[in-house]
Amino acid sequence: MTTLKTGDKAPDFAVEDQDGNLIKLSDFKGKKLVLFFYPKASTPGCTAEACNLRDNWEVFKEKGYAILGVSADSKRRQTNFKAKNELPFPLLADEEKKVINAYGVWGPKKFMGKEYDGIHRTTFVIDEEGKIEEVIGKVKTKDHAAQIL
């Protein structure tokens, strides 16, 4: 789906999180960033993925990683998802799909025989210099932290 690959410069972005704070890629210069795109807040797969990252939050912090979740959900929906699952990291409310399109994760999908456009569950690991270190397209929702670390 995405044409971005290891070694590419990560596309810059500036989008609000669940609380209305403007979050930019440049905010993470000097840190490693796990940027994970998920189809829809509070659905089973997305909840499993976010909670797996939450459960490994201390390990990520020790290794110098920040984490950002991204979906096209509203701020309100992201706020509910974050609160309900006690997620310690921000969730971007990318309703206009600026970040989603910049990273090339929006496109045709199939579910139960129906075709539609949506977010392809994808994670980008971005290094301290803003370069893509890894692209994970086949996300294991229940064991995603292990895939990254």
Side-chain angles (χ1 to χ4, degrees):
M1 184 68 225
T2 183
T3 57
L4 294 171
K5 57 192 180 309
T6 301
D8 286 351
K9 185 176 181 341
D12 202 7
F13 58 81
V15 175
E16 291 184 356
D17 70 5
Q18 73 286 336
D19 297 325
N21 301 311
L22 189 66
I23 307 282
K24 302 184 295 264
L25 178 62
S26 58
D27 296 341
F28 300 93
K29 191 158 175 55
K31 280 188 180 164
K32 291 185 252 186
L33 175 64
V34 173
L35 186 65
F36 74 100
F37 292 87
Y38 56 95
K40 196 165 183 67
S42 300
T43 55
C46 298
T47 300
E49 178 181 13
C51 289
N52 176 255
L53 295 174
R54 175 204 64 203
D55 294 345
N56 290 279
W57 175 239
E58 291 303 321
V59 178
F60 280 106
K61 283 198 324 193
E62 283 168 22
K63 294 185 181 274
Y65 286 95
I67 299 176
L68 268 184
V70 187
S71 76
D73 291 301
S74 68
K75 284 185 211 141
R76 183 174 178 193
R77 212 171 145 86
Q78 297 289 43
T79 298
N80 292 342
F81 185 45
K82 184 175 165 56
K84 182 179 169 188
N85 296 290
E86 299 177 3
L87 304 176
F89 41 80
L91 302 175
L92 301 185
D94 192 17
E95 292 182 270
E96 293 174 22
K97 302 180 189 71
K98 291 178 189 171
V99 188
I100 291 163
N101 287 324
Y103 282 77
V105 297
W106 183 265
K109 296 174 73 169
K110 251 188 183 163
F111 183 67
M112 295 178 73
K114 264 177 58 180
E115 276 201 37
Y116 62 97
D117 283 343
I119 296 173
H120 289 255
R121 188 184 309 279
T122 311
T123 296
F124 296 85
V125 180
I126 301 168
D127 72 12
E128 299 88 341
E129 302 301 313
K131 284 204 170 36
I132 295 173
E133 204 170 81
E134 187 177 6
V135 179
I136 303 169
K138 292 196 184 314
V139 172
K140 295 177 184 162
T141 57
K142 291 182 172 89
D143 199 26
H144 195 34
Q147 283 183 292
I148 297 164
L149 299 168

